[in-house]
Amino acid sequence: MELTFYVASAIAILATIMVITNYNMIHALLYLVVSFLAVAVVFFTLGAPFMAALEVIIYAGAIVVLIIFVIMMLNLTNEDVQQEKTWLRPKTWIGPALLSLVLLAELAYLVIAEDMPTINNQPVDAREVGLALYGPYLLGVQLCGMLLMAGIVGAYHLGRQKKKVVHRFLERSEI
Amino acid sequence: MSQIDFHYLMPLLILTGGALLTMLVVAIKRNHKIIYVVTALSLIGSFLYLFELRGLQRHVVEPLFVIDGFAILYIGLTLLTSLVISMMSYAYFEQREERKEEYYILILLATLGACTLVISKHFASLFLGLEVLSVSLYALISYLRMRERSDEAGIKYLILAAVSSAFLLFGMALVYASTGTMTFEGIAASIASAYDLPLLMLTGFGMMIIGVGFKLSVVPFHMWTPDVYEGAPAPVTAFIATVSKGGMLGLLIRLFMQVEGFRFQTLVLIFTIVAIASMFAGNLLALMQRNVKRILAYSSISHLGYLLVAFLAGNELGVEAITFYLVAYFITTVGAFGVVTMLSDSEGDAEQLEDYRGLLWRRPWTAAVFTAMLLSLAGIPLTAGFVGKFYILAAGVNTQLWLLVAMLVLNSVIGLYYYIKLIAVMFQQPEAGREPVERLRPSILLASAGTLAVLALLLLYIGVYPTGLVNLIEGLISPATMVQNPSAPLLEAAK
């Protein structure tokens, strides 16, 4: 049981290292997805299946899709077809695919294994998480709302207008 | 949440409501004056509500918050400082061409974050408060998009604050792993009988100190300070220097008093090194600067070093000294940045030393206020800064921290040099060809000038007659209200 935890953690670390060392955004994103999936497996082995599901749905799902959309929009002017061809070389996707395969094997093992296999033998299900969040930690949830509001207002202000002055280092190189 | 909880959390709820109301008003109609009034009213309302809570017992809102005299004092300080800063922001942003309204929403939210920090007694509320404060500050620092430096400052703060948050989180995780609880008193109970910290806990606390140290901008986590101070708009700089640091310091005091961190030699050693390094690095680096905002940045680093001396005293006198010094430091720093704010024009902030040449002859009153603020920062008698420094020395001597006290005195002398240099520049004759600065509308000017005058008077009042403030602080902070102590019998048994 502990082995699945360590394998998943190793994959998470490896994938994250690949994210920050890759210069190509899309390549990095592929590894980022793998990293999120690996963290989800880690959560699952630690006895938090609900967190694992959230990790997959929110991070690997929603957030990465958003990032991909942004990148696509930014790159609209380039020769997109050419770009996509370079993205789809086996060299690009073989690494993430292999790592994902290992994760898949782990997941299959976890599902097939008889008892609910967790390290501390006490899985925390969605009901308990919900009771904690909307019971004693209600104020914390509301504070999170304020946090998101600060983020949205700030992002709205900073993203609203095009900046006219470029940074002093870039200014010189562009002229 | 029961009704009584509502009563105790009302100051924070008013702030939250104020932020939401401001946002709705912005959605209906953008008007700088209306937004400004709503902001000021919510800060004042929140502050006035504190008087309702003043005489009451300490109240715990399980499991996240605790409201006691200490918390009320620090919330009041934070709210007043935010109010003064937003008073000065009005004139500053009136001259800017950017949209001004979002600024007030962010200021209210950042204040809410700082207030949350000082009342939290749980890692979750600590982290949430810190993030509300930081996220608001990211946008506030780079608020003036047309400025050249604003992006640089914003990105620098964003990345470093995110890294320091990661350290803080990891530290909390390690502490949680070894104690199994995230409340302060739970941690205190689990290490109450230990003579030495277990390695896992020590690593956890060390990583938390990195996160906290970044916010306090003490050496060696100070690298961002001068750049961010320089790039941010002057009122925001005042906010970072005061409210953000004050909130964090309040939290640090509460955590350390609760877990009795001063029993552990390693932690004391870490803080001693940090304090001495901050005093020296801050003062020595300030000597060579020609930019007023950077000078004030380095000066704030050294002032945090002074504060840590009182913090290391670790007793009730130390907490009183910190609080007193913090009040003096807040008044002085906000006043100094207020002068910078007032002298700034639509081109940029008045930050070069040249902008201050001959200020005394051009605008005598502003120069007088600035001189008073600088003298207080240097700790000259008859100002609040002197009494504060005296208080810290007393706390240090009381607990026989001779090394730290000696360093403090030495550094006060070094610090004197650059404050006096700044004052000397103001006394020089102005260059002949310099055209007079164009004045703002009198009504707007009145808000800033009035605020500065109040700050200067307060500075002198506390400097001449500190008893009033001392009594207030002593009345609100007493050991009984400060620490809730389930571990006391355990500790006795251990001895």
Side-chain angles (χ1 to χ4, degrees):
Chain A
M1 191 59 245
E2 296 221 341
L3 188 68
T4 49
F5 170 78
Y6 286 116
V7 171
S9 319
I11 290 176
I13 292 171
L14 197 67
T16 314
I17 290 175
M18 293 305 285
V19 172
I20 51 180
T21 50
N22 248 315
Y23 287 113
N24 190 318
M25 282 267 234
I26 294 289
H27 298 182
L29 267 181
L30 283 178
Y31 278 107
L32 189 64
V33 174
V34 177
S35 162
F36 286 143
L37 292 178
V39 173
V41 173
V42 169
F43 274 130
F44 192 82
T45 54
L46 286 177
F50 184 59
M51 273 307 297
L54 284 187
E55 182 82 20
V56 173
I57 295 169
I58 296 177
Y59 285 93
I63 290 181
V64 170
V65 169
L66 266 183
I67 298 177
I68 290 176
F69 270 139
V70 170
I71 291 175
M72 296 261 174
M73 280 185 209
L74 290 179
N75 281 346
L76 269 184
T77 49
N78 291 355
E79 308 90 350
D80 291 333
V81 184
Q82 206 64 35
Q83 200 86 356
E84 294 212 5
K85 255 182 199 162
T86 57
W87 284 346
L88 277 180
R89 273 194 208 129
K91 193 177 129 240
T92 311
W93 54 260
I94 203 83
L98 276 180
L99 291 177
S100 313
L101 212 62
V102 178
L103 285 178
L104 185 67
E106 278 202 340
L107 198 64
Y109 164 74
L110 287 172
V111 171
I112 292 166
E114 286 283 300
D115 50 344
M116 183 68 174
T118 59
I119 283 182
N120 61 357
N121 294 324
Q122 197 182 30
V124 181
D125 58 4
R127 185 185 140 82
E128 277 173 75
V129 175
L131 280 178
L133 282 184
Y134 288 93
Y137 294 99
L138 182 62
L139 281 169
V141 175
Q142 288 170 340
L143 212 53
C144 284
M146 289 299 113
L147 176 64
L148 289 180
M149 180 173 152
I152 288 172
V153 171
Y156 164 73
H157 173 76
L158 295 183
R160 197 179 56 86
Q161 52 210 351
K162 274 252 166 11
K163 199 169 145 63
K164 280 176 193 147
V165 191
V166 284
H167 189 276
R168 57 174 189 263
F169 298 141
L170 296 177
E171 204 168 21
R172 224 161 285 144
S173 64
E174 270 181 18
I175 300 167
Chain B
M1 243 169 70
S2 65
Q3 205 172 355
I4 188 100
D5 290 349
F6 265 107
H7 178 57
Y8 276 92
L9 287 175
M10 195 49 99
L12 272 78
L13 294 176
I14 293 175
L15 271 186
T16 315
L20 290 173
L21 188 65
T22 316
M23 194 169 70
L24 290 178
V25 173
V26 170
I28 295 166
K29 184 170 164 48
R30 279 182 179 274
N31 183 324
H32 191 191
K33 198 173 281 179
I34 295 176
I35 302 287
Y36 165 71
V37 170
V38 171
T39 308
L41 281 183
S42 48
L43 286 171
I44 293 171
S46 179
F47 180 74
L48 288 181
Y49 205 90
L50 290 178
F51 286 95
E52 284 282 306
L53 303 177
R54 204 177 146 182
L56 301 176
Q57 286 291 312
R58 91 194 276 284
H59 180 76
V60 179
V61 183
E62 288 292 355
L64 294 177
F65 299 120
V66 55
I67 290 119
D68 51 15
F70 178 80
I72 289 173
L73 188 65
Y74 273 72
I75 290 179
L77 193 58
T78 307
L79 290 173
L80 278 188
T81 316
S82 296
L83 181 67
V84 170
I85 289 173
S86 56
M87 297 279 278
M88 294 183 318
S89 310
Y90 184 68
Y92 184 84
F93 280 99
E94 193 61 32
Q95 324 172 39
R96 302 291 182 280
E97 63 280 12
E98 310 231 0
R99 292 198 174 186
K100 306 129 183 147
E101 287 78 11
E102 285 86 358
Y103 172 82
Y104 294 95
I105 305 176
L106 292 170
I107 278 281
L108 280 175
L109 286 174
T111 313
L112 175 72
C115 292
T116 314
L117 276 182
V118 297
I119 62 168
S120 53
K121 66 175 212 42
H122 190 283
F123 280 167
S125 49
L126 188 172
F127 189 70
L128 281 172
L130 183 72
E131 285 301 296
V132 172
L133 178 62
S134 302
V135 169
S136 314
L137 280 179
Y138 299 155
L140 282 174
I141 287 170
S142 45
Y143 195 83
L144 294 174
R145 295 293 316 275
M146 310 306 252
R147 290 274 198 81
E148 207 176 325
R149 299 278 169 80
S150 67
D151 279 5
E152 186 186 339
I155 292 281
K156 223 167 230 174
Y157 192 77
L158 170 70
I159 292 176
L160 288 175
V163 171
S164 79
S165 288
F167 269 103
L168 188 69
L169 266 186
F170 205 165
M172 288 175 184
L174 289 181
V175 172
Y176 179 64
S178 61
T179 61
T181 173
M182 288 203 279
T183 57
F184 292 176
E185 70 260 20
I187 295 164
S190 73
I191 58 171
S193 52
Y195 282 108
D196 213 356
L197 278 178
L199 191 61
L200 203 57
M201 283 282 278
L202 189 63
T203 320
F205 273 122
M207 290 183 120
M208 285 181 73
I209 289 173
I210 293 176
V212 172
F214 168 82
K215 270 272 168 260
L216 294 178
S217 81
V218 286
V219 178
F221 318 111
H222 66 291
M223 306 302 280
W224 58 278
T225 323
D227 291 332
V228 170
Y229 274 40
E230 192 187 353
V236 177
T237 314
F239 193 89
I240 301 170
T242 54
V243 174
S244 154
K245 290 183 185 177
M248 204 65 209
L249 205 59
L251 175 97
L252 190 65
I253 295 171
R254 187 185 292 285
L255 176 61
F256 257 67
M257 285 293 168
Q258 185 79 58
V259 303
E260 294 172 10
F262 303 104
R263 288 190 297 128
F264 304 108
Q265 285 308 314
T266 328
L267 292 180
V268 171
L269 183 68
I270 292 175
F271 274 105
T272 310
I273 294 171
V274 165
I276 293 178
S278 301
M279 286 191 273
F280 270 108
N283 279 323
L284 291 178
L285 289 173
L287 290 179
M288 308 310 292
Q289 290 299 328
R290 301 203 49 81
N291 181 316
V292 174
K293 274 168 132 182
R294 291 181 88 93
I295 291 181
L296 289 173
Y298 285 119
S299 132
S300 85
I301 294 175
S302 61
H303 278 278
L304 260 296
Y306 302 153
L307 276 168
L308 284 185
V309 175
F311 176 70
L312 279 168
N315 49 16
E316 202 192 329
L317 184 65
V319 175
E320 281 170 30
I322 292 181
T323 312
F324 190 95
Y325 197 84
L326 216 51
V327 174
Y329 169 76
F330 274 27
I331 294 174
T332 341
T333 308
V334 172
F337 280 111
V339 172
V340 176
T341 308
M342 218 172 136
L343 293 176
S344 302
D345 49 25
S346 46
E347 298 285 307
D349 285 2
E351 51 187 19
Q352 294 303 320
L353 216 49
E354 289 307 308
D355 296 332
Y356 293 82
R357 189 175 296 282
L359 189 70
L360 186 78
W361 315 105
R362 283 184 286 139
R363 304 173 74 164
W365 286 106
T366 317
V369 170
F370 200 30
T371 308
M373 298 300 166
L374 290 172
L375 288 179
S376 171
L377 280 174
I380 302 291
L382 287 187
T383 58
F386 169 74
V387 185
K389 215 169 254 179
F390 188 77
Y391 219 143
I392 285 188
L393 275 180
V397 169
N398 192 32
T399 38
Q400 275 110 37
L401 300 169
W402 297 117
L403 176 69
L404 281 167
V405 168
M407 292 298 145
L408 201 162
V409 173
L410 183 63
N411 272 287
S412 300
V413 179
I414 301 176
L416 204 56
Y417 174 76
Y418 58 86
Y419 296 122
I420 298 288
K421 189 175 80 177
L422 202 50
I423 295 172
V425 168
M426 285 196 287
F427 275 78
Q428 283 167 359
Q429 283 296 336
E431 293 155 41
R434 219 184 154 86
E435 72 274 30
V437 216
E438 128 191 39
R439 296 265 174 151
L440 278 168
R441 268 181 292 147
S443 61
I444 299 175
L445 196 65
L446 198 68
S448 315
T451 315
L452 278 183
V454 168
L455 284 177
L457 288 178
L458 212 57
L459 185 80
L460 284 178
Y461 175 73
I462 295 176
V464 176
Y465 183 72
T467 326
L469 182 61
V470 172
N471 285 342
L472 178 74
I473 292 173
E474 274 177 357
L476 281 172
I477 303 174
S478 53
T481 60
M482 183 72 205
V483 179
Q484 165 199 40
N485 216 345
S487 61
L490 263 175
L491 201 69
E492 292 302 314
K495 278 170 190 168

